[in-house]
Amino acid sequence: SQQGEEDPQALSIQEGENATMNCSYKTSINNLQWYRQNSGRGLVHLILIRSNEREKHSGRLRVTLDTSKKSSSLLITASRAADTASYFCATAYGNNRLAFGKGNQVVVIP
Amino acid sequence: GAVVSQHPSRVICKSGTSVKIECRSLDFQATTMFWYRQFPKQSLMLMATSNEGSKATYEQGVEKDKFLINHASLTLSTLTVTSAHPEDSSFYICSARDFRSGGSTDTQYFGPGTRLTVL
């Protein structure tokens, strides 16, 4: 199976700053998705980028995809305290299954 | 929007007992649901794919007799942890795929998770 893997870093930033996190995967993909998880809760789908797309925006989120490097980045601009969460990338493989990366914990300090 | 619920949200049980967790798609039909397990500060690990009207497909290393999955309708899948032991304590999350979206690029909608603690 293929696995999305983020750089194993925890981010601690001040409110208003931008947060960037990365993800790499191993095999070819149809799409890559980013999810947010607040502590002890389920996952919330943030954005999906298809393999033929290079960049996608959704509100304060910007996702890039580089299929040649098998990597993706998620940028959160003008961070807020409510953005404090863990962020996971996921890639889809056989039968619509998702493989999740390790996740990045982001703490936004008010 | 698509909503998935789980019940219960938390459960504490004694070692040796069985625990059933329900996953429901509230406003859409889900031919396929997925069950994940998550340890503290770790990622989600896919346990099995639950298909309505057929047997679940388990990932390698997941004991099918230990984790019984039933997908009796298009809106309900259940995960039963049989003869639970302390090492089964974990956060169990389900997700559902919207039947209408089709293809391989659709989004999965996740439930809020169930915290299982086995004493």
Side-chain angles (χ1 to χ4, degrees):
Chain A
S1 65
Q2 57 193 11
Q3 290 287 328
E5 297 183 353
E6 297 82 38
D7 288 351
Q9 60 181 349
L11 302 175
S12 183
I13 58 175
Q14 293 290 330
E15 198 166 32
E17 294 180 340
N18 296 340
T20 301
M21 56 210 88
N22 301 302
C23 166
S24 61
Y25 55 92
K26 297 178 181 177
T27 63
S28 61
I29 60 172
N30 291 322
N31 65 73
L32 185 142
Q33 304 175 40
W34 284 91
Y35 290 84
R36 183 185 74 226
Q37 183 182 34
N38 291 92
S39 181
R41 305 294 295 275
L43 273 69
V44 173
H45 181 261
L46 296 176
I47 194 167
L48 179 152
I49 186 166
R50 302 182 194 282
S51 59
N52 62 351
E53 298 176 309
R54 291 296 170 260
E55 186 172 313
K56 197 165 184 178
H57 296 255
S58 177
R60 293 183 296 111
L61 304 179
R62 172 177 170 254
V63 171
T64 63
L65 179 65
D66 187 335
T67 52
S68 66
K69 295 181 179 179
K70 292 186 169 56
S71 67
S72 173
S73 69
L74 171 66
L75 168 68
I76 304 173
T77 61
S79 63
R80 305 168 182 170
D83 295 329
T84 294
S86 292
Y87 293 84
F88 296 90
C89 75
T91 54
Y93 62 109
N95 296 321
N96 301 296
R97 293 175 292 176
L98 291 179
F100 283 86
K102 295 187 177 75
N104 269 298
Q105 186 173 2
V106 175
V107 175
V108 181
I109 302 168
Chain B
V3 178
V4 175
S5 69
Q6 279 185 242
H7 178 80
S9 58
R10 291 177 181 269
V11 57
I12 301 173
C13 69
K14 293 182 179 179
S15 186
T17 61
S18 294
V19 175
K20 179 184 285 188
I21 303 170
E22 293 185 348
C23 178
R24 293 180 184 273
S25 57
L26 298 185
D27 50 2
F28 67 99
Q29 293 182 327
T31 53
T32 305
M33 291 183 172
F34 302 88
W35 287 96
Y36 297 84
R37 183 175 182 176
Q38 184 180 33
F39 291 104
K41 298 190 184 301
Q42 294 190 25
S43 188
L44 281 73
M45 181 192 77
L46 178 65
M47 298 174 66
T49 303
S50 173
N51 301 299
E52 188 268 336
S54 64
K55 292 183 179 180
T57 304
Y58 291 81
E59 296 298 305
Q60 190 174 8
V62 178
E63 300 176 62
K64 61 178 68 176
D65 294 330
K66 174 74 172 177
F67 300 99
L68 299 179
I69 291 172
N70 185 285
H71 195 150
S73 76
L74 285 172
T75 59
L76 174 64
S77 175
T78 60
L79 168 67
T80 301
V81 183
T82 63
S83 186
H85 291 283
E87 57 265 30
D88 298 324
S89 298
S90 190
F91 193 55
Y92 293 88
I93 305 175
C94 72
S95 70
R97 177 172 171 256
D98 190 337
F99 170 75
R100 296 165 298 179
S101 60
S104 62
T105 59
D106 55 298
T107 301
Q108 290 185 20
Y109 300 97
F110 284 79
T114 297
R115 176 76 59 190
L116 170 63
T117 302
V118 184
L119 303 177

